[in-house]
Amino acid sequence: MSDLEKAGQRTAVVLLISQSLFSASSIIAFTVGSIIVVQLAGSNSQWTGVPSTLALVGAALVVYPMGRLMDRAGRRVGLSLGYIFGISGALISGWAVVQQSLPVLLVGVLLAGLARGVIDMGRYAAAEASR
């Protein structure tokens, strides 16, 4: 096996692990996010779907510009930026829950959505690495 094939396999394994961990954390965060939003808003009928919607909007907004960035700067730069979005969104959301701040929580959820859009692009990087 050549060094290039070994590097491709290592990259694919790293991307598999990171995708798995991020997907699991996203499922948990978006499920709990709806419950927390309802508690912070004090009403379940108006706010239940807002976190999921913001996450979807964030993912949709970031994909095209991030794809352009990855074309210019590489997959590693783009995916790293996506993970920074995710970590920032998690920290902001956690802080918002402690502070009981609905608007700040929604900003954190939007950042997590941005991360979701970028991290999903990692699947294409894994496919490229395993060629």
Side-chain angles (χ1 to χ4, degrees):
M1 183 178 288
S2 72
D3 288 340
L4 185 60
E5 288 173 336
K6 288 180 185 177
Q9 283 184 341
R10 278 193 311 270
T11 301
V13 168
V14 168
L15 288 169
L16 171 72
I17 292 168
S18 65
Q19 287 284 317
S20 299
L21 292 173
F22 185 79
S23 292
S25 66
S26 291
I27 291 167
I28 292 167
F30 296 137
T31 302
V32 173
S34 293
I35 295 167
I36 292 171
V37 163
V38 167
Q39 289 178 344
L40 291 178
S43 167
N44 61 358
S45 62
Q46 296 176 344
W47 292 92
T48 304
V50 172
S52 298
T53 302
L54 279 176
L56 181 65
V57 168
L61 288 175
V62 78
V63 173
Y64 181 75
M66 193 55 65
R68 301 280 295 173
L69 175 70
M70 287 184 188
D71 283 344
R72 284 190 224 122
R75 303 278 184 248
R76 182 173 291 169
V77 171
L79 291 173
S80 296
L81 187 57
Y83 286 114
I84 290 170
F85 287 153
I87 292 167
S88 300
L91 291 173
I92 289 170
S93 296
W95 184 77
V97 170
V98 170
Q99 297 298 314
Q100 299 287 304
S101 174
L102 180 61
V104 174
L105 177 67
L106 296 177
V107 169
V109 169
L110 181 65
L111 280 171
L114 293 174
R116 181 71 197 208
V118 176
I119 304 306
D120 282 348
M121 295 171 78
R123 296 174 186 170
Y124 300 105
E128 288 176 353
S130 63
R131 277 196 230 173

